Amino acid sequence: MNFLCGQVTTWLMLIMSTASFTCVAWLDTHTTARIVREQQEYDASGGRTLVATNEDAGVSQRACESLNLVSGVAGAAAITPQQNPAGLASSPDANIPIATATAGISRLMGIDELGDAVLFDINTARRLGLIDSSLVRLQAADTSDGPTNAAATEQLLPPSTLRVRTAHGLSLLGEDVAGGAILPAAAVGRATYCVVQPTTFSQSAIRDALPALLGAPRTGTPTIVSDRLLSGRFVRNFAEEYQNRLSSRAATAAGIGIGMLWVLLCWTRRDQDALYSTLGAGLAIRAIIRVSEVLLLLGTASVVSITLAANVGLTQQVDPDLMWPSVVGNVGLCTSTALLTALLAAFIPVRSPLSALKDR
């Protein structure tokens, strides 16, 4: 009855609770989605990728390809960039950077088996007017920048037409491969470098084990393993950013704020509690009255907040698998914190009915 007859007081509490819970839930969901998106972009550009090189002996293509069978490796391929670019029969001056890669390139790039197709960077394919399943014939590029080793390039390029496959982010494989095309190659001989992408939680272990897994050359310099992108103390730690995000503490603060607002409201209702006391309502009954009212209030605010925050998330195209746990978790934390804080109202002393009558 207090909730239904509260009029302005009830509406104000309901609006403030709903607005606080909705803003907190959406703020943390938006922050989490941003961190996840930036980590995905970082990983896609090579942030979780390792490169093994050996200046003197190169890297064994067979050993690199066999890393795909190692637990903790998401994908691995031996890459050999070619010094001279290639062109198309229909566009001899296309100047396409060419590299060869072992079969693990499909797993590394997250695509189906490449087979005997040629893999183009999707932006390069669009520039040349190519789509998946297009047929092309590669040839030595006709460049005006200086002499090129056309004979070596022609020996590398298949004489027949090839089917086109496209993929995003060939820059993952290195700057000299970005914006170019990849030709499949057998895992025989030595490659310029081996690109390895560990799973999320095995990067350190794989980095330490790579020199041994690739096999040490008999002579020359040892195999060097480095991160594809800059590494060190200045690199962003996305897991730490997620754990230390300030928005995760906003739910607790909002819940305490709403709970203290409820305590203040109960303070102004001491006359009602005094009246209940004169009618025989002890502490337990008065607590049931107040807890029932605040439960109804917070429950209504929670349902409305989850609905509003979820609708905003869907409008902003946030991944539902990420959005729903974040929204429900934050609203739940707000509600439980507000309820626990609101229980402090039970310690508000009851005024004597005589003092209440004198005030009136």
Side-chain angles (χ1 to χ4, degrees):
M1 291 301 299
N2 282 337
F3 178 78
L4 296 176
C5 301
Q7 298 179 353
V8 176
T9 303
T10 298
W11 279 107
L12 283 176
M13 281 292 299
L14 189 59
I15 291 172
M16 293 181 69
S17 301
T18 302
S20 299
F21 294 176
T22 303
C23 291
V24 165
W26 169 241
L27 176 64
D28 191 52
T29 301
H30 177 72
T31 303
T32 302
R34 176 183 57 79
I35 294 174
V36 170
R37 183 181 65 253
E38 290 176 357
Q39 182 179 13
Q40 290 173 343
E41 293 173 353
Y42 180 73
D43 289 345
S45 62
R48 195 163 40 89
T49 304
L50 304 174
V51 179
T53 58
N54 190 300
E55 293 185 4
D56 293 340
V59 179
S60 169
Q61 296 198 73
R62 178 174 296 179
C64 180
E65 184 65 20
S66 66
L67 293 176
N68 290 291
L69 304 177
V70 176
S71 176
V73 174
I79 310 294
T80 305
Q82 304 301 311
Q83 294 183 354
N84 303 299
L88 303 179
S90 58
S91 179
D93 58 346
N95 246 358
I96 306 168
I98 292 292
T100 59
T102 54
I105 188 68
S106 303
R107 186 174 173 184
L108 189 63
M109 299 304 299
I111 59 176
D112 295 333
E113 289 293 331
L114 190 59
D116 57 355
V118 57
L119 181 65
F120 274 85
D121 181 84
I122 192 166
N123 294 320
T124 302
R126 289 171 179 170
R127 177 173 59 84
L128 298 172
L130 303 175
I131 60 174
D132 279 311
S133 299
S134 295
L135 295 177
V136 296
R137 188 170 70 85
L138 298 174
Q139 64 181 33
D142 182 10
T143 64
S144 58
D145 298 333
T148 60
N149 191 350
T153 305
E154 287 291 354
Q155 290 180 0
L156 170 70
L157 301 176
S160 59
T161 57
L162 298 172
R163 193 168 299 277
V164 172
R165 291 284 301 279
T166 60
H168 287 278
L170 288 190
S171 58
L172 171 76
L173 308 176
E175 294 301 328
D176 46 2
V177 182
I182 303 292
L183 289 171
V188 178
R190 315 293 290 186
T192 305
Y193 53 84
C194 178
V195 179
V196 183
Q197 190 168 51
T199 55
T200 305
F201 302 104
S202 62
Q203 187 166 358
S204 298
I206 294 299
R207 180 190 288 107
D208 295 338
L210 266 183
L213 292 173
L214 291 174
R218 295 179 180 177
T219 59
T221 59
T223 299
I224 304 299
V225 179
S226 59
D227 292 277
R228 168 67 182 84
L229 298 183
L230 178 68
S231 62
R233 57 180 296 190
F234 299 109
V235 176
R236 292 177 61 184
N237 187 329
F238 293 99
E240 185 176 339
E241 284 186 29
Y242 175 75
Q243 293 293 334
N244 297 333
R245 68 193 190 283
L246 293 177
S247 58
S248 64
R249 302 175 179 85
T252 303
I256 292 175
I258 294 299
M260 293 305 297
L261 193 61
W262 173 257
V263 173
L264 179 62
L265 179 61
C266 290
W267 178 269
T268 64
R269 290 180 173 179
R270 289 178 299 159
D271 293 349
Q272 290 185 12
D273 290 336
L275 178 60
Y276 296 154
S277 179
T278 60
L279 297 176
L283 177 61
I285 295 179
R286 296 198 305 273
I288 291 174
I289 293 174
R290 295 306 183 199
V291 170
S292 300
E293 184 179 359
V294 75
L295 277 176
L296 186 57
L297 177 69
L298 294 176
T300 305
S302 299
V303 172
V304 177
S305 299
I306 291 174
T307 304
L308 291 175
N311 280 313
V312 174
L314 293 175
T315 303
Q316 298 294 323
Q317 298 182 344
V318 177
D319 183 5
D321 292 336
L322 182 149
M323 179 190 66
W324 284 110
S326 179
V327 168
V328 174
N330 277 281
V331 173
L333 181 57
C334 285
T335 303
S336 58
T337 305
L339 180 60
L340 291 174
T341 306
L343 295 179
L344 295 174
F347 298 97
I348 296 177
V350 178
R351 298 183 65 189
S352 67
L354 181 59
S355 298
L357 289 173
K358 286 181 178 180
D359 290 343
R360 292 188 177 186

